Amino acid sequence: MTPFRFIHTADLHLDSKFAGMKGLSESVRQHLRESTFSALRHLMTLAVAEQVDFILISGDIYDAADSSLRAHLSLQAAFEELGTHGIHVYIIHGNHDPLDGPRLQIQNAEHVHVFGAEVESYIARRRGDQQEVAVISGISYPTSKVTENTAMKFLRDPDSSLFHIAIHHANVDGDPAHETYSPCTRKELEASGYDYWALGHIHQRRVIQEYPHIVYAGNIQGRSVKETGPKGCYVVEVLEDASLHMTFHELDSVRWFREEISIEGIHNEDEWIIRVEDHVDTIRRLRPGQMSIVRWIITGRSSLHRALEGGHIADELEQELRRREIERAENGHFGGLVWTESISLQSGIEIDRADMMREDSFLGEMMRLESQAEQDGEFGNELIETAMTQLMSNREIRRMISESSEQERQEWLYRAGELGAVLLLERAADGGRK
Ligand SMILES: [Mn+2]
């Protein structure tokens, strides 16, 4: 087999708006809005440095169907640059940028191949000697909702000995965290005869299996606290003996973190503030050249919990931490910026939960219910639904609940349990036991 190399990337979501972010100053917001474009520039630099023969983009190039002019022009400029290096680009559109959207058409230059609404195939060549190296098949979303299993439309040519690549924007094995568009199974892809499934749609990168390779490249820039950790693309080398060598390359310029800080052993507010500040500095040292966004998750049990739960200190610290970073940004220091997305209280009072759960009391009963809900998701959902019946008449609250993740609902339950315990214990201390 003739050796060659390519980049597999997906879900660029160019010009993402980061609309849900609170408390940003104009300059920090601007910097954040730049991040998807920076990641695109990093991708281009990498393609040239790695001398790849071609790039595959597995859908959701634009964040919105009516892509901005800026997103469109950036992409055109990037592709033109690739052209000057003889690097071809193979693109499909996904649910965020379907073919029927009002966006501007990507110009079909000689080295830019945009797949249509039915499976099409191209023969890819090696850059230098123009040897044929691979057959690349792909299909774009005609509309934003594709509920049919379009993977079944990919048919490998049985007579061709070339390496076969399928580019697809799909949900393999029904990942519940993403819309089940183009649903298909790992087994179906494995049986298809293709050598490499270059997948997009799921933003968490993952090599589902090897030989044949079924791979999600993940997105190139995290877009929310649900997308933590390094984001980038794969450089894939196909060697003479048909073995594959894959290397992940970071491309993101803003990185998301969920960082746990325990209040264990801390009993006053000043100590706690110092502990949080220390964590901020740690992240800053970790990422001196880039911006980081962090959700601080306060865990553990100590007497400090009542102060955190009852007062404004967490809110005030959140604002103070943001104010400091805004000041850094005003002075032009975006490298090492550590933005506090939020401080999430998941700490608890100093109680022995196990003890309390055995108690024959209202509190004990509440703890048992909460614990049961933690273990049984369906029961938990029912509990939340019952508890929220009155609130459900509010449209905004209905929307929040329907869009919440399993993890968020678990966190609400836990918080509710802790808050209930604080209130009940206070009542007991005030009168009940006298
Ligand atoms: Mn996407």
Side-chain angles (χ1 to χ4, degrees):
M1 182 164 278
T2 311
F4 63 100
R5 53 208 277 132
F6 64 91
I7 282 179
H8 170 203
T9 187
D11 297 276
L12 312 188
H13 285 268
L14 284 179
D15 212 2
S16 287
K17 302 282 190 279
F18 298 92
M21 294 285 289
K22 291 193 196 86
L24 296 168
S25 69
E26 193 46 39
S27 61
V28 178
R29 182 176 292 283
Q30 281 295 337
H31 187 73
L32 189 54
R33 286 279 303 269
E34 275 300 304
S35 62
T36 53
F37 296 108
S38 300
L40 175 66
R41 281 194 297 277
H42 296 158
L43 176 65
M44 293 305 127
T45 309
L46 180 74
V48 174
E50 289 284 323
Q51 306 195 321
V52 296
D53 297 298
F54 52 85
I55 297 185
L56 315 173
I57 309 181
S58 309
D60 284 3
I61 296 154
Y62 298 122
D63 188 49
D66 57 343
S67 66
S68 67
L69 182 64
R70 169 142 192 238
H72 179 74
L73 294 177
S74 305
L75 201 66
Q76 287 296 143
F79 289 170
E80 268 167 40
E81 192 194 330
L82 290 176
T84 65
H85 293 274
I87 300 171
H88 283 241
V89 196
Y90 298 89
I91 301 160
I92 59 168
H93 286 289
N95 54 304
H96 274 262
D97 56 353
L99 294 173
D100 72 347
R103 87 207 130 69
L104 295 157
Q105 289 292 320
I106 293 169
Q107 279 160 32
N108 249 318
E110 207 187 321
H111 70 292
V112 179
H113 315 277
V114 182
F115 290 90
E118 291 298 333
V119 173
E120 299 169 78
S121 298
Y122 296 93
I123 295 203
R125 292 164 186 277
R126 200 151 72 156
R127 235 161 26 121
D129 56 14
Q130 294 300 307
Q131 267 200 64
E132 294 184 352
V133 289
V135 176
I136 302 180
S137 308
I139 187 171
S140 283
Y141 278 39
T143 60
S144 63
K145 289 188 174 71
V146 174
T147 50
E148 170 193 8
N149 180 355
T150 40
M152 302 311 278
K153 295 184 172 181
F154 286 76
L155 301 171
R156 188 194 198 278
D157 172 2
D159 298 326
S160 168
S161 62
L162 292 173
F163 191 84
H164 275 63
I165 297 173
I167 318 181
H168 201 27
H169 198 78
N171 192 330
V172 178
D173 287 340
D175 185 325
H178 287 73
E179 312 245 38
T180 46
Y181 296 147
S182 294
C184 55
T185 65
R186 183 192 61 78
K187 282 209 152 60
E188 286 163 353
L189 304 190
E190 184 182 28
S192 66
Y194 278 80
D195 300 293
Y196 189 103
W197 281 87
L199 301 174
H201 188 46
I202 309 292
H203 288 184
Q204 178 65 47
R205 75 175 170 281
R206 187 172 158 220
V207 179
I208 294 178
Q209 76 162 52
E210 297 184 327
Y211 306 105
H213 281 64
I214 302 174
V215 179
Y216 279 110
N219 51 349
I220 62 172
Q221 170 59 58
R223 294 160 66 242
S224 80
V225 77
K226 288 176 187 162
E227 301 179 351
T228 54
K231 294 285 179 178
C233 68
Y234 284 112
V235 171
V236 184
E237 289 176 81
V238 180
L239 308 176
E240 216 153 347
D241 63 358
S243 67
L244 263 67
H245 188 249
M246 296 178 61
T247 318
F248 172 72
H249 290 262
E250 295 176 3
L251 300 171
D252 52 351
S253 66
V254 174
R255 190 162 300 169
W256 296 77
F257 295 82
R258 289 170 67 96
E259 287 289 303
E260 287 195 13
I261 304 179
S262 174
I263 60 168
E264 217 76 53
I266 295 184
H267 300 285
N268 70 63
E269 296 175 353
D270 290 336
E271 260 179 81
W272 178 68
I273 290 170
I274 290 168
R275 188 171 283 193
V276 176
E277 286 173 338
D278 281 350
H279 274 76
V280 172
D281 287 339
T282 304
I283 301 280
R284 205 188 303 289
R285 278 196 299 274
L286 205 65
R287 308 259 307 149
Q290 288 89 17
M291 175 176 171
S292 305
I293 306 180
V294 191
R295 176 173 292 182
W296 306 103
I297 300 175
I298 311 303
T299 60
R301 296 186 174 281
S302 88
S303 58
L304 181 69
H305 175 76
R306 281 172 200 255
L308 293 181
E309 183 74 78
H312 304 284
I313 177 153
D315 287 345
E316 280 168 28
L317 181 60
E318 181 180 283
Q319 290 189 12
E320 172 59 17
L321 292 175
R322 286 178 182 168
R323 195 195 56 74
R324 289 179 200 168
E325 300 307 310
I326 287 171
E327 206 171 286
R328 286 179 74 93
E330 298 304 321
N331 294 322
H333 302 305
F334 289 100
L337 204 79
V338 181
W339 185 259
T340 293
E341 184 261 355
S342 65
I343 297 178
S344 167
L345 285 186
Q346 290 171 33
S347 50
I349 51 172
E350 275 179 307
I351 48 162
D352 188 333
R353 266 178 102 81
D355 258 8
M356 207 148 280
M357 270 173 67
R358 281 191 293 270
E359 231 182 63
D360 182 20
S361 65
F362 184 78
L363 182 56
E365 177 64 23
M366 191 183 79
M367 290 290 190
R368 284 192 287 278
L369 269 180
E370 192 212 315
S371 154
Q372 192 188 340
E374 251 173 61
Q375 277 148 33
D376 177 354
E378 217 167 285
F379 176 74
N381 282 333
E382 268 172 40
L383 197 65
I384 287 178
E385 248 171 60
T386 321
M388 302 242 188
T389 316
Q390 285 197 326
L391 296 171
M392 289 299 258
S393 58
N394 181 304
R395 204 155 62 106
E396 186 62 12
I397 291 176
R398 262 204 318 276
R399 187 189 59 77
M400 270 178 66
I401 293 172
S402 72
E403 287 177 3
S404 64
S405 68
E406 187 73 31
Q407 190 185 12
E408 279 170 313
R409 287 194 291 272
Q410 288 283 1
E411 286 171 11
W412 294 343
L413 265 177
Y414 183 83
R415 280 274 319 261
E418 287 297 326
L419 191 60
V422 170
L423 294 172
L424 284 166
L425 286 171
E426 266 167 14
R427 252 187 99 145
D430 283 350
R433 280 177 191 167
K434 274 177 206 163

